[in-house]
Amino acid sequence: MAIKAKKVKKAAKKAVKQVKAAAGEAYSKAKKVAKPAIQAVKKAAKPKVKAIKKAAAPVIKSVKKSARNAAKDVLEAGAKGLKKASKKI
């Protein structure tokens, strides 16, 4: 008995559909099971994240300030250069 290519393709498609369906079910079950655990982790981490943000705030503020000052200095230097260049013209 010879196996025809059409039968093989049909069987393969059927197997792929079944595997996809099973994987989809497994994913949805895992998602349902993991949801409470993820919520608990988020709840537990919230105060720590808040504390880290609070501790880092002065550093971030100073970095932003120094970046602003550096940008200001660059702009002023550029403006002085433009003034000199315009005087030469």
Side-chain angles (χ1 to χ4, degrees), residues 17-33:
K17 275 187 181 178
Q18 289 174 347
V19 169
K20 280 185 179 179
E25 286 178 33
Y27 171 75
S28 61
K29 284 180 183 177
K31 193 175 173 184
K32 284 180 185 175
V33 170

Side-chain angles (χ1 to χ4, degrees), residues 38-72:
I38 291 169
Q39 298 268 334
V41 168
K42 279 184 183 177
K43 190 175 182 181
K46 199 170 188 176
K48 291 179 179 131
V49 170
K50 195 173 183 180
I52 290 168
K53 283 183 180 178
K54 191 174 181 180
V59 176
I60 292 169
K61 194 175 182 179
S62 68
V63 168
K64 284 182 178 179
K65 189 175 183 179
S66 64
R68 273 195 304 270
N69 289 341
K72 199 185 231 182

